[in-house]
Amino acid sequence: MNWRSAAACRSEDPELFFPLGEDGLSRRQIEEARAVCRRCPVMGACGAWAVRNGERDGVWGGMTAAERRTLRRGRVTGSGL
Ligand code: SF4
C-alpha cells in the first residue's frame, strides 16, 4: 500500500473516517471525511484497495462501507458498477 504515503488523511484525525453509523448525525461526519478524500491524490487507489480487500468499516476512497458493499455486489453480479 505505497499510496498511503500520499494520503491526504495522514494529517487528519483518524476518528473522522470512522463514523459510528451512516445516517443521522454520522452523515455530517461522513461528508467531512469525503471532503478530505476529494482532495486526496490517491483517492482511486485507496477506494480500490478497500473494495478489493473487503474493508468493513470507515470511509475509504470517499466511500462508506455500505457504498463499497454495493460496488462489490455490482462487480460480482456483473452489473457494471
Ligand atoms: S481517499 Fe480518503 S481515506 Fe483514502 S487515503 Fe485519501 S483521504 Fe485517506
Side-chain angles (χ1 to χ4, degrees), residues 14-62:
E15 295 282 322
L16 177 63
F17 295 84
F18 292 93
L20 294 177
E22 296 199 11
D23 51 13
L25 294 175
S26 295
R27 293 304 310 171
R28 183 178 180 148
Q29 182 178 347
I30 290 168
E31 289 312 313
E32 286 180 28
R34 281 195 220 272
V36 177
C37 294
R38 280 195 292 270
R39 62 179 169 78
C40 178
V42 294
M43 183 176 166
C46 171
W49 183 90
V51 170
R52 200 168 47 246
N53 289 283
E55 184 61 53
R56 296 172 65 103
D57 299 305
V59 174
W60 294 72

